[in-house]
Amino acid sequence: MKFCMKCGKTVSRKVPAGDNRERFICESCSEIHYQNPKIVVGCVPERNGNILLCRRAIEPRRGFWTVPAGFMELGETVAEGAARETREEACAEVEMGRLFASVDVIEAGQVHLFFAATLLGSYGVGEETLETVLFPKEEIPWAEIAFLSGRFALEKFLEDDGHNNGVHLHRVRRGE
Amino acid sequence: MKFCMKCGKTVSRKVPAGDNRERFICESCSEIHYQNPKIVVGCVPERNGNILLCRRAIEPRRGFWTVPAGFMELGETVAEGAARETREEACAEVEMGRLFASVDVIEAGQVHLFFAATLLGSYGVGEETLETVLFPKEEIPWAEIAFLSGRFALEKFLEDDGHNNGVHLHRVRRGE
């Protein structure tokens, strides 16, 4: 960040009055520009013991498998965001269940929230997806899972085995 | 948002290629500026059946009571953020427990995540706080609670009565 998005003048790093950490502050209009973590929302769509995964058509991790997930947007709830991502990536409708995993990805400035979900009706291949497959649990392609957060969600989903054990908290570190 | 934070030229609202909603895009360098919900993290600190609340010294809702909570920062986990807010507002250390509530505050572009916590040691009055009180459960000042999300968290915390019933999801609407 180099310029103020409000007035277009240059910003610099300073600790605002009453604050305790450096922020980007406009040298002209004094606007403080806060930067905060972003939320990624996703779900594990399940039907009759099978789990729906998408093979990614885009980078990062093109060709690897993932549960439907993506950045939460303004104007939606966390559950609506997870449903929207499932619609976009897997062309599938789901009934959203419990929120069961929260993964901190500090180096990326992200928090990933995962729901258990029940797959309804058909599924297909969204624009960011190469193929969508309903995997029997014992055939999940563990060696080709795209992201550590999604892997954690899948593992805990299977461990929970349909039970509500609350939220599993986890931190993913770069390079793991 | 009027100007590009990367190059300082003007931005306009357009749907980027491959996207399905309008974003702020720089007319000069084509940078896409995404805007996403922010995370508020908080906790309900409890000790021997009593709950720690802070009376707010700042707007909004100056003079009203709240559980310790605030915007999550880059560089911390959700649990670390909730602990930091408790330290800043109530000068208290807590042992963070289960994540038990997630509240969507769509109109504000926020998701509020609340933990159950155990109050350790002493407590005090942070810069944004007028007073900090350890309330017996039956004396919680329900008529003077600052925010609907915090009220929901307090209600569910008491209903749970120490049990892990997973995450209670809720949506707060402006004007309620």
Side-chain angles (χ1 to χ4, degrees), chain B residues 114-130:
Chain B
F114 295 97
F115 289 83
T118 301
L119 175 63
L120 309 169
S122 62
Y123 54 92
V125 174
E127 280 187 23
E128 301 181 356
T129 301
L130 292 172

Side-chain angles (χ1 to χ4, degrees), chain A residues 2 23 36 38 73 167, chain B residues 5 23 36 38 73 167:
Chain A
K2 291 181 180 172
R23 314 283 181 183
N36 302 88
K38 289 177 188 283
E73 299 278 3
V167 174
Chain B
M5 60 186 103
R23 313 282 181 183
N36 301 88
K38 289 178 188 281
E73 300 278 2
V167 174

Side-chain angles (χ1 to χ4, degrees), chain A residues 77-168:
Chain A
T77 66
V78 286
E80 287 167 355
R84 175 186 50 72
E85 288 292 340
T86 308
R87 212 172 290 125
E88 290 177 2
E89 297 182 356
C91 306
E93 296 296 325
V94 292
E95 183 185 329
M96 211 55 74
R98 67 191 190 284
L99 201 175
F100 76 98
S102 173
V103 183
D104 295 290
V105 192
I106 291 188
E107 286 78 7
Q110 297 171 3
V111 175
H112 295 198
L113 300 176
F114 295 97
F115 289 83
T118 302
L119 175 64
L120 309 169
S122 63
Y123 55 90
V125 175
E127 279 187 25
E128 301 181 356
T129 301
L130 291 172
E131 58 177 318
T132 302
V133 172
L134 194 55
F135 284 101
K137 284 172 184 172
E138 56 277 13
E139 291 176 22
I140 287 172
W142 291 108
E144 297 168 49
I145 299 296
F147 305 110
L148 291 172
S149 62
R151 166 185 291 272
F152 175 79
L154 278 169
E155 288 171 350
K156 293 301 165 185
F157 181 85
L158 295 177
E159 282 177 28
D160 280 350
D161 196 23
H163 298 284
N164 184 356
N165 293 319
V167 174
H168 302 281

Side-chain angles (χ1 to χ4, degrees), chain A residues 2-3 5-8 20-21 23 36-39 72-73 77-78 84 88 104 111 164-165 167, chain B residues 2-3 5-8 20-21 23 36-39 72-73 77-78 84 88 104 164-165 167:
Chain A
K2 291 181 180 172
F3 299 92
M5 58 185 104
K6 203 172 156 193
C7 79
N20 51 24
R21 62 184 72 200
R23 314 283 181 183
N36 302 88
K38 289 177 188 283
I39 304 170
M72 184 179 174
E73 299 278 3
T77 66
V78 286
R84 175 186 50 72
E88 290 177 2
D104 295 290
V111 175
N164 184 356
N165 293 319
V167 174
Chain B
K2 291 181 181 172
F3 299 92
M5 60 186 103
K6 202 171 155 192
C7 80
N20 52 22
R21 63 184 71 200
R23 313 282 181 183
N36 301 88
K38 289 178 188 281
I39 304 170
M72 184 178 173
E73 300 278 2
T77 66
V78 286
R84 176 186 49 73
E88 290 177 2
D104 294 289
N164 184 356
N165 293 318
V167 174

Side-chain angles (χ1 to χ4, degrees), chain A residues 34-53:
Chain A
Y34 295 95
Q35 296 186 307
N36 302 88
K38 289 177 188 283
I39 304 170
V40 167
V41 283
C43 71
V44 181
E46 189 257 353
R47 182 160 66 199
N48 301 329
N50 303 305
I51 290 174
L52 196 71
L53 297 180

Side-chain angles (χ1 to χ4, degrees), chain B residues 49-54 65 133-141:
Chain B
N50 303 304
I51 291 175
L52 196 70
L53 297 180
C54 301
W65 295 91
V133 171
L134 194 56
F135 285 101
K137 284 172 185 171
E138 57 276 13
E139 291 176 22
I140 288 172

